[in-house]
Amino acid sequence: MLILSVWLQYWVATYEDVSPIKQAVKQLIFIVLGLAGMLIIKFIDKKIIWKLVPWIYVFSLLLMSTLYFFYDVTMYNITGTKRWLDIFGFKFQPSELAKIAYILFISKELIQYDIKTKVKNISTDMNLLWRLLLFSTPLFALMFMQKDFGTSLVFICVLGALLIASGIDWRILTTIGALLVALGGFLIFLVFTENGNNILKLLHFKQYQLDRVLAWRDPYAFADSIAYQQVQGFVAMGSGGMFGKGSAGIDVYVPVRESDMIFTFIGEAYGFVGASLVIILYFYLFFQIFYTGMKSNSKFNIYICVGVVFMLVFQTFENIGASIGLLPLTGIPLPFLSQGGTSLIATLIALGLILEMNVYD
């Protein structure tokens, strides 16, 4: 996947006003930094990480809080959001590192609940849920103020997956699931009414986010405006056919294909077969992470594996789903392959936690 990421970034850059060599070297630098972080985490004993979990979580919240003082002005002017930290020219997204901290924190809370609660019932499970929501409130409040709806969905997916893995009462899960579906449906309904748009804007939703839902519902009605990116992505994917045109045969322009729409380049260049092989690679990785957790004699490890897998599954499903029209665009990168150093480094650090595990833990 890492080799493929360099290859894709090189070829995508050949169709943009960017030096392919420079883009490939930049991706290689991110890979080296990510692998270094992965190896460091691999050789840190999980008992040390266990003790540091609360501090790691608090540090991630403080890091996200600094966005209000050291945010990237350039990205703020482009997107209207403060998601990128800029300290002496070094830029990264704290929310990417917060994903790992959140997985570790929720996993530890679930283990402590298992230890302290001898007899579990719906009452004790509800107490656990309220405790987790209480500790999650600062994180989601920061995400809300930063207007990062896409990343917020990743945190919700991770929390949901870990709650299911913990064996929490099914009545609680069913109720939460129904409420989330109802809330999601209601928010989508608001997008299609003028008064609803006004309500959503009061809730910090930006116009471009509302446009993405409109473009998702009927992309060809807005092919020359807000859905231009999606429609161009469909054309690129479809034109690739079964085996693709090859890396040097790209002739369909897709905006931001180095990041959000990288999968459309794969579809056009390597066709249905190439795109399918990439998806198989992802599922093989997910399987290996799950398998590692199951081999480990540690429930903490299992929870970490579940959290990491569903973090990656959601990002992969959302990115690819948006590229082929199944889901609205949210700006979530495709793990490993999209341009974005923080995302790549954070993903490799998360895999370092997996590589540390063994059957004797």
Short mmCIF file of all heavy atoms in Angstrom, two decimals, residues 122-178:
data_model
loop_
_atom_site.label_atom_id
_atom_site.label_comp_id
_atom_site.label_asym_id
_atom_site.label_seq_id
_atom_site.Cartn_x
_atom_site.Cartn_y
_atom_site.Cartn_z
N ILE A 122 -28.59 -3.79 32.33
CA ILE A 122 -28.86 -2.58 31.54
C ILE A 122 -28.54 -1.31 32.32
O ILE A 122 -28.12 -0.30 31.77
CB ILE A 122 -30.32 -2.57 31.04
CG1 ILE A 122 -30.50 -1.46 30.00
CG2 ILE A 122 -31.30 -2.40 32.20
CD1 ILE A 122 -31.83 -1.53 29.26
N SER A 123 -28.69 -1.36 33.65
CA SER A 123 -28.40 -0.20 34.48
C SER A 123 -26.90 0.11 34.51
O SER A 123 -26.48 1.27 34.35
CB SER A 123 -28.91 -0.43 35.91
OG SER A 123 -28.59 0.67 36.74
N THR A 124 -26.09 -0.93 34.71
CA THR A 124 -24.63 -0.72 34.75
C THR A 124 -24.11 -0.31 33.37
O THR A 124 -23.20 0.51 33.26
CB THR A 124 -23.91 -1.98 35.22
OG1 THR A 124 -24.20 -3.08 34.34
CG2 THR A 124 -24.34 -2.36 36.64
N ASP A 125 -24.72 -0.90 32.33
CA ASP A 125 -24.30 -0.54 30.97
C ASP A 125 -24.65 0.92 30.65
O ASP A 125 -23.90 1.61 29.96
CB ASP A 125 -24.97 -1.46 29.95
CG ASP A 125 -24.32 -2.85 29.92
OD1 ASP A 125 -23.28 -3.02 30.58
OD2 ASP A 125 -24.85 -3.74 29.23
N MET A 126 -25.79 1.38 31.15
CA MET A 126 -26.18 2.78 30.93
C MET A 126 -25.21 3.72 31.66
O MET A 126 -24.84 4.78 31.13
CB MET A 126 -27.60 3.03 31.42
CG MET A 126 -28.68 2.59 30.44
SD MET A 126 -28.58 3.45 28.85
CE MET A 126 -28.82 5.16 29.34
N ASN A 127 -24.79 3.31 32.85
CA ASN A 127 -23.80 4.12 33.58
C ASN A 127 -22.49 4.21 32.80
O ASN A 127 -21.85 5.27 32.75
CB ASN A 127 -23.55 3.52 34.97
CG ASN A 127 -24.73 3.71 35.90
OD1 ASN A 127 -25.51 4.65 35.74
ND2 ASN A 127 -24.87 2.82 36.87
N LEU A 128 -22.09 3.08 32.20
CA LEU A 128 -20.90 3.06 31.37
C LEU A 128 -21.06 4.02 30.18
O LEU A 128 -20.16 4.81 29.88
CB LEU A 128 -20.63 1.65 30.85
CG LEU A 128 -19.58 1.54 29.73
CD1 LEU A 128 -18.19 1.89 30.26
CD2 LEU A 128 -19.59 0.14 29.12
N LEU A 129 -22.22 3.95 29.54
CA LEU A 129 -22.47 4.79 28.37
C LEU A 129 -22.40 6.28 28.72
O LEU A 129 -21.77 7.07 28.01
CB LEU A 129 -23.84 4.46 27.77
CG LEU A 129 -24.24 5.25 26.52
CD1 LEU A 129 -23.25 5.01 25.39
CD2 LEU A 129 -25.66 4.88 26.09
N TRP A 130 -23.05 6.66 29.83
CA TRP A 130 -23.01 8.07 30.25
C TRP A 130 -21.59 8.51 30.56
O TRP A 130 -21.20 9.65 30.26
CB TRP A 130 -23.91 8.29 31.46
CG TRP A 130 -25.37 8.23 31.15
CD1 TRP A 130 -26.30 7.37 31.68
CD2 TRP A 130 -26.09 9.05 30.22
NE1 TRP A 130 -27.54 7.60 31.14
CE2 TRP A 130 -27.45 8.63 30.24
CE3 TRP A 130 -25.73 10.09 29.37
CZ2 TRP A 130 -28.43 9.23 29.46
CZ3 TRP A 130 -26.70 10.69 28.58
CH2 TRP A 130 -28.03 10.26 28.63
N ARG A 131 -20.82 7.61 31.16
CA ARG A 131 -19.41 7.94 31.49
C ARG A 131 -18.61 8.17 30.20
O ARG A 131 -17.85 9.15 30.11
CB ARG A 131 -18.81 6.78 32.29
CG ARG A 131 -17.36 7.00 32.70
CD ARG A 131 -16.85 5.82 33.50
NE ARG A 131 -15.43 5.92 33.78
CZ ARG A 131 -14.92 6.59 34.80
NH1 ARG A 131 -15.71 7.22 35.65
NH2 ARG A 131 -13.60 6.64 34.99
N LEU A 132 -18.79 7.29 29.23
CA LEU A 132 -18.08 7.44 27.96
C LEU A 132 -18.49 8.71 27.23
O LEU A 132 -17.64 9.41 26.64
CB LEU A 132 -18.32 6.22 27.07
CG LEU A 132 -17.77 4.88 27.57
CD1 LEU A 132 -18.08 3.77 26.59
CD2 LEU A 132 -16.26 4.97 27.80
N LEU A 133 -19.79 9.01 27.24
CA LEU A 133 -20.27 10.23 26.59
C LEU A 133 -19.73 11.47 27.28
O LEU A 133 -19.40 12.46 26.62
CB LEU A 133 -21.80 10.25 26.57
CG LEU A 133 -22.49 9.21 25.68
CD1 LEU A 133 -24.00 9.29 25.83
CD2 LEU A 133 -22.08 9.41 24.22
N LEU A 134 -19.64 11.39 28.61
CA LEU A 134 -19.10 12.53 29.37
C LEU A 134 -17.65 12.80 28.98
O LEU A 134 -17.26 13.95 28.73
CB LEU A 134 -19.20 12.24 30.87
CG LEU A 134 -18.62 13.32 31.80
CD1 LEU A 134 -19.41 14.62 31.67
CD2 LEU A 134 -18.64 12.84 33.25
N PHE A 135 -16.85 11.74 28.92
CA PHE A 135 -15.45 11.90 28.56
C PHE A 135 -15.27 12.27 27.08
O PHE A 135 -14.24 12.84 26.70
CB PHE A 135 -14.66 10.63 28.87
CG PHE A 135 -14.40 10.42 30.34
CD1 PHE A 135 -14.73 9.22 30.96
CD2 PHE A 135 -13.81 11.43 31.09
CE1 PHE A 135 -14.47 9.03 32.32
CE2 PHE A 135 -13.55 11.25 32.45
CZ PHE A 135 -13.89 10.06 33.06
N SER A 136 -16.25 11.90 26.25
CA SER A 136 -16.16 12.21 24.82
C SER A 136 -16.62 13.62 24.49
O SER A 136 -16.30 14.14 23.41
CB SER A 136 -17.02 11.21 24.02
OG SER A 136 -16.60 9.88 24.23
N THR A 137 -17.36 14.24 25.42
CA THR A 137 -17.93 15.57 25.16
C THR A 137 -16.90 16.62 24.76
O THR A 137 -17.10 17.35 23.78
CB THR A 137 -18.74 16.05 26.37
OG1 THR A 137 -19.82 15.15 26.60
CG2 THR A 137 -19.29 17.45 26.14
N PRO A 138 -15.75 16.74 25.48
CA PRO A 138 -14.76 17.74 25.06
C PRO A 138 -14.26 17.53 23.64
O PRO A 138 -14.08 18.50 22.89
CB PRO A 138 -13.62 17.55 26.08
CG PRO A 138 -14.26 16.90 27.26
CD PRO A 138 -15.33 16.02 26.70
N LEU A 139 -14.06 16.27 23.26
CA LEU A 139 -13.58 15.96 21.92
C LEU A 139 -14.59 16.39 20.87
O LEU A 139 -14.25 17.09 19.90
CB LEU A 139 -13.29 14.47 21.80
CG LEU A 139 -12.89 13.97 20.41
CD1 LEU A 139 -11.55 14.57 20.00
CD2 LEU A 139 -12.82 12.45 20.39
N PHE A 140 -15.86 15.99 21.06
CA PHE A 140 -16.88 16.32 20.06
C PHE A 140 -17.19 17.82 20.06
O PHE A 140 -17.55 18.38 19.02
CB PHE A 140 -18.15 15.50 20.31
CG PHE A 140 -18.02 14.07 19.87
CD1 PHE A 140 -17.85 13.05 20.79
CD2 PHE A 140 -18.04 13.75 18.53
CE1 PHE A 140 -17.72 11.73 20.39
CE2 PHE A 140 -17.91 12.44 18.11
CZ PHE A 140 -17.74 11.43 19.04
N ALA A 141 -17.03 18.47 21.20
CA ALA A 141 -17.22 19.93 21.25
C ALA A 141 -16.15 20.62 20.41
O ALA A 141 -16.45 21.57 19.64
CB ALA A 141 -17.16 20.43 22.69
N LEU A 142 -14.91 20.15 20.50
CA LEU A 142 -13.83 20.71 19.70
C LEU A 142 -14.06 20.45 18.22
O LEU A 142 -13.82 21.33 17.37
CB LEU A 142 -12.48 20.13 20.14
CG LEU A 142 -11.95 20.63 21.49
CD1 LEU A 142 -10.78 19.77 21.96
CD2 LEU A 142 -11.52 22.09 21.38
N MET A 143 -14.51 19.24 17.89
CA MET A 143 -14.80 18.92 16.50
C MET A 143 -15.93 19.79 15.96
O MET A 143 -15.90 20.23 14.80
CB MET A 143 -15.17 17.43 16.36
CG MET A 143 -14.07 16.47 16.75
SD MET A 143 -12.53 16.69 15.84
CE MET A 143 -13.10 16.40 14.18
N PHE A 144 -16.93 20.04 16.78
CA PHE A 144 -18.06 20.88 16.38
C PHE A 144 -17.61 22.31 16.10
O PHE A 144 -17.99 22.92 15.09
CB PHE A 144 -19.13 20.87 17.48
CG PHE A 144 -20.31 21.77 17.20
CD1 PHE A 144 -21.27 21.40 16.28
CD2 PHE A 144 -20.44 22.98 17.85
CE1 PHE A 144 -22.35 22.23 16.01
CE2 PHE A 144 -21.52 23.81 17.61
CZ PHE A 144 -22.48 23.43 16.68
N MET A 145 -16.77 22.83 16.99
CA MET A 145 -16.29 24.20 16.81
C MET A 145 -15.35 24.32 15.61
O MET A 145 -15.26 25.38 14.99
CB MET A 145 -15.60 24.68 18.09
CG MET A 145 -16.57 24.94 19.24
SD MET A 145 -15.79 25.66 20.70
CE MET A 145 -14.93 24.25 21.37
N GLN A 146 -14.69 23.22 15.27
CA GLN A 146 -13.79 23.24 14.11
C GLN A 146 -14.52 22.90 12.81
O GLN A 146 -13.92 22.88 11.74
CB GLN A 146 -12.65 22.24 14.34
CG GLN A 146 -11.71 22.65 15.45
CD GLN A 146 -10.78 21.54 15.89
OE1 GLN A 146 -10.57 20.57 15.17
NE2 GLN A 146 -10.22 21.66 17.09
N LYS A 147 -15.83 22.62 12.93
CA LYS A 147 -16.68 22.33 11.76
C LYS A 147 -16.17 21.14 10.95
O LYS A 147 -16.26 21.11 9.72
CB LYS A 147 -16.80 23.57 10.85
CG LYS A 147 -17.24 24.84 11.57
CD LYS A 147 -17.29 26.01 10.61
CE LYS A 147 -17.63 27.31 11.32
NZ LYS A 147 -16.57 27.78 12.21
N ASP A 148 -15.60 20.16 11.64
CA ASP A 148 -15.06 18.98 10.97
C ASP A 148 -16.04 17.82 11.11
O ASP A 148 -15.84 16.89 11.91
CB ASP A 148 -13.70 18.62 11.58
CG ASP A 148 -12.91 17.67 10.70
OD1 ASP A 148 -13.49 17.14 9.73
OD2 ASP A 148 -11.71 17.46 10.96
N PHE A 149 -17.10 17.87 10.34
CA PHE A 149 -18.18 16.87 10.43
C PHE A 149 -17.70 15.49 10.00
O PHE A 149 -18.05 14.48 10.62
CB PHE A 149 -19.36 17.33 9.58
CG PHE A 149 -20.52 16.37 9.59
CD1 PHE A 149 -21.28 16.21 10.74
CD2 PHE A 149 -20.85 15.63 8.46
CE1 PHE A 149 -22.36 15.32 10.77
CE2 PHE A 149 -21.92 14.75 8.47
CZ PHE A 149 -22.68 14.60 9.62
N GLY A 150 -16.89 15.43 8.92
CA GLY A 150 -16.44 14.14 8.41
C GLY A 150 -15.64 13.36 9.43
O GLY A 150 -15.89 12.17 9.66
N THR A 151 -14.67 14.01 10.08
CA THR A 151 -13.85 13.34 11.09
C THR A 151 -14.68 12.96 12.31
O THR A 151 -14.43 11.94 12.96
CB THR A 151 -12.67 14.22 11.50
OG1 THR A 151 -11.94 14.62 10.34
CG2 THR A 151 -11.73 13.48 12.43
N SER A 152 -15.68 13.78 12.65
CA SER A 152 -16.57 13.46 13.77
C SER A 152 -17.26 12.12 13.55
O SER A 152 -17.45 11.34 14.49
CB SER A 152 -17.62 14.56 13.96
OG SER A 152 -17.02 15.79 14.27
N LEU A 153 -17.62 11.84 12.29
CA LEU A 153 -18.26 10.56 11.97
C LEU A 153 -17.32 9.39 12.22
O LEU A 153 -17.77 8.30 12.61
CB LEU A 153 -18.72 10.56 10.51
CG LEU A 153 -19.85 11.54 10.15
CD1 LEU A 153 -20.14 11.50 8.65
CD2 LEU A 153 -21.12 11.21 10.93
N VAL A 154 -16.02 9.60 12.02
CA VAL A 154 -15.05 8.54 12.29
C VAL A 154 -15.04 8.21 13.78
O VAL A 154 -15.06 7.03 14.17
CB VAL A 154 -13.64 8.96 11.84
CG1 VAL A 154 -12.63 7.86 12.17
CG2 VAL A 154 -13.60 9.25 10.35
N PHE A 155 -15.04 9.24 14.64
CA PHE A 155 -15.06 9.02 16.08
C PHE A 155 -16.33 8.29 16.51
O PHE A 155 -16.30 7.41 17.36
CB PHE A 155 -14.95 10.35 16.82
CG PHE A 155 -13.59 10.98 16.77
CD1 PHE A 155 -13.36 12.13 16.04
CD2 PHE A 155 -12.53 10.41 17.44
CE1 PHE A 155 -12.10 12.72 15.99
CE2 PHE A 155 -11.26 10.98 17.41
CZ PHE A 155 -11.05 12.13 16.67
N ILE A 156 -17.48 8.68 15.93
CA ILE A 156 -18.75 8.02 16.25
C ILE A 156 -18.71 6.55 15.85
O ILE A 156 -19.17 5.67 16.59
CB ILE A 156 -19.92 8.75 15.55
CG1 ILE A 156 -20.09 10.15 16.16
CG2 ILE A 156 -21.22 7.95 15.69
CD1 ILE A 156 -21.10 11.01 15.42
N CYS A 157 -18.15 6.27 14.68
CA CYS A 157 -18.03 4.89 14.20
C CYS A 157 -17.16 4.06 15.14
O CYS A 157 -17.50 2.93 15.49
CB CYS A 157 -17.45 4.87 12.79
SG CYS A 157 -17.21 3.21 12.11
N VAL A 158 -16.03 4.63 15.57
CA VAL A 158 -15.12 3.93 16.49
C VAL A 158 -15.81 3.65 17.82
O VAL A 158 -15.74 2.53 18.34
CB VAL A 158 -13.84 4.77 16.71
CG1 VAL A 158 -13.04 4.24 17.90
CG2 VAL A 158 -12.99 4.79 15.46
N LEU A 159 -16.50 4.65 18.36
CA LEU A 159 -17.20 4.47 19.63
C LEU A 159 -18.27 3.39 19.50
O LEU A 159 -18.39 2.51 20.37
CB LEU A 159 -17.84 5.78 20.08
CG LEU A 159 -18.67 5.75 21.37
CD1 LEU A 159 -17.81 5.28 22.54
CD2 LEU A 159 -19.28 7.11 21.66
N GLY A 160 -19.04 3.42 18.43
CA GLY A 160 -20.08 2.42 18.21
C GLY A 160 -19.51 1.01 18.10
O GLY A 160 -20.05 0.06 18.70
N ALA A 161 -18.42 0.87 17.35
CA ALA A 161 -17.80 -0.44 17.18
C ALA A 161 -17.29 -1.00 18.51
O ALA A 161 -17.45 -2.19 18.81
CB ALA A 161 -16.66 -0.35 16.16
N LEU A 162 -16.67 -0.16 19.31
CA LEU A 162 -16.14 -0.60 20.59
C LEU A 162 -17.26 -0.94 21.58
O LEU A 162 -17.13 -1.88 22.38
CB LEU A 162 -15.22 0.47 21.18
CG LEU A 162 -13.87 0.62 20.47
CD1 LEU A 162 -13.10 1.82 20.99
CD2 LEU A 162 -13.03 -0.65 20.64
N LEU A 163 -18.36 -0.21 21.53
CA LEU A 163 -19.50 -0.54 22.38
C LEU A 163 -20.07 -1.91 22.01
O LEU A 163 -20.43 -2.70 22.89
CB LEU A 163 -20.57 0.54 22.27
CG LEU A 163 -20.29 1.87 22.98
CD1 LEU A 163 -21.38 2.88 22.67
CD2 LEU A 163 -20.17 1.67 24.49
N ILE A 164 -20.18 -2.17 20.72
CA ILE A 164 -20.68 -3.48 20.28
C ILE A 164 -19.72 -4.58 20.72
O ILE A 164 -20.14 -5.64 21.22
CB ILE A 164 -20.86 -3.49 18.74
CG1 ILE A 164 -21.98 -2.53 18.33
CG2 ILE A 164 -21.16 -4.91 18.24
CD1 ILE A 164 -22.10 -2.33 16.84
N ALA A 165 -18.41 -4.35 20.55
CA ALA A 165 -17.41 -5.35 20.93
C ALA A 165 -17.41 -5.61 22.43
O ALA A 165 -17.10 -6.73 22.88
CB ALA A 165 -16.02 -4.88 20.49
N SER A 166 -17.80 -4.61 23.22
CA SER A 166 -17.80 -4.77 24.68
C SER A 166 -18.97 -5.62 25.17
O SER A 166 -18.99 -6.04 26.33
CB SER A 166 -17.86 -3.39 25.35
OG SER A 166 -19.13 -2.79 25.16
N GLY A 167 -19.96 -5.86 24.30
CA GLY A 167 -21.11 -6.66 24.70
C GLY A 167 -22.15 -5.89 25.47
O GLY A 167 -22.91 -6.46 26.26
N ILE A 168 -22.21 -4.58 25.26
CA ILE A 168 -23.20 -3.75 25.95
C ILE A 168 -24.61 -4.22 25.58
O ILE A 168 -24.84 -4.77 24.50
CB ILE A 168 -22.99 -2.26 25.58
CG1 ILE A 168 -23.75 -1.35 26.53
CG2 ILE A 168 -23.39 -1.99 24.15
CD1 ILE A 168 -23.41 0.12 26.36
N ASP A 169 -25.58 -4.02 26.47
CA ASP A 169 -26.94 -4.51 26.30
C ASP A 169 -27.51 -4.11 24.93
O ASP A 169 -27.42 -2.95 24.52
CB ASP A 169 -27.84 -3.93 27.41
CG ASP A 169 -29.18 -4.63 27.47
OD1 ASP A 169 -30.04 -4.35 26.62
OD2 ASP A 169 -29.39 -5.45 28.38
N TRP A 170 -28.08 -5.09 24.22
CA TRP A 170 -28.56 -4.87 22.86
C TRP A 170 -29.67 -3.83 22.79
O TRP A 170 -29.84 -3.14 21.78
CB TRP A 170 -29.05 -6.18 22.24
CG TRP A 170 -30.29 -6.74 22.90
CD1 TRP A 170 -30.32 -7.61 23.95
CD2 TRP A 170 -31.64 -6.47 22.56
NE1 TRP A 170 -31.62 -7.90 24.29
CE2 TRP A 170 -32.46 -7.22 23.46
CE3 TRP A 170 -32.26 -5.69 21.59
CZ2 TRP A 170 -33.85 -7.19 23.40
CZ3 TRP A 170 -33.65 -5.65 21.53
CH2 TRP A 170 -34.43 -6.40 22.42
N ARG A 171 -30.44 -3.67 23.88
CA ARG A 171 -31.52 -2.68 23.88
C ARG A 171 -30.96 -1.27 23.82
O ARG A 171 -31.54 -0.38 23.19
CB ARG A 171 -32.40 -2.88 25.11
CG ARG A 171 -33.26 -4.14 25.08
CD ARG A 171 -33.88 -4.44 26.43
NE ARG A 171 -32.87 -4.86 27.41
CZ ARG A 171 -33.16 -5.26 28.65
NH1 ARG A 171 -34.43 -5.25 29.06
NH2 ARG A 171 -32.20 -5.64 29.47
N ILE A 172 -29.83 -1.07 24.47
CA ILE A 172 -29.18 0.24 24.43
C ILE A 172 -28.66 0.51 23.03
O ILE A 172 -28.86 1.60 22.47
CB ILE A 172 -28.02 0.30 25.45
CG1 ILE A 172 -28.56 0.15 26.88
CG2 ILE A 172 -27.26 1.61 25.31
CD1 ILE A 172 -27.47 0.08 27.94
N LEU A 173 -28.00 -0.49 22.43
CA LEU A 173 -27.46 -0.33 21.09
C LEU A 173 -28.56 -0.07 20.06
O LEU A 173 -28.41 0.77 19.17
CB LEU A 173 -26.66 -1.58 20.69
CG LEU A 173 -25.37 -1.83 21.47
CD1 LEU A 173 -24.75 -3.16 21.07
CD2 LEU A 173 -24.37 -0.70 21.23
N THR A 174 -29.67 -0.81 20.19
CA THR A 174 -30.78 -0.63 19.26
C THR A 174 -31.37 0.78 19.37
O THR A 174 -31.66 1.43 18.36
CB THR A 174 -31.89 -1.66 19.54
OG1 THR A 174 -31.34 -2.98 19.45
CG2 THR A 174 -33.03 -1.52 18.55
N THR A 175 -31.52 1.25 20.60
CA THR A 175 -32.06 2.60 20.81
C THR A 175 -31.14 3.67 20.24
O THR A 175 -31.59 4.59 19.54
CB THR A 175 -32.27 2.86 22.32
OG1 THR A 175 -33.14 1.87 22.86
CG2 THR A 175 -32.88 4.24 22.54
N ILE A 176 -29.83 3.53 20.50
CA ILE A 176 -28.86 4.48 19.98
C ILE A 176 -28.86 4.46 18.45
O ILE A 176 -28.86 5.51 17.79
CB ILE A 176 -27.45 4.18 20.51
CG1 ILE A 176 -27.39 4.41 22.02
CG2 ILE A 176 -26.41 5.05 19.81
CD1 ILE A 176 -26.07 3.98 22.64
N GLY A 177 -28.87 3.25 17.88
CA GLY A 177 -28.89 3.12 16.42
C GLY A 177 -30.10 3.78 15.80
O GLY A 177 -29.99 4.50 14.80
N ALA A 178 -31.27 3.56 16.42
CA ALA A 178 -32.50 4.15 15.89
C ALA A 178 -32.46 5.68 15.98
O ALA A 178 -32.88 6.38 15.05
CB ALA A 178 -33.71 3.62 16.66
#
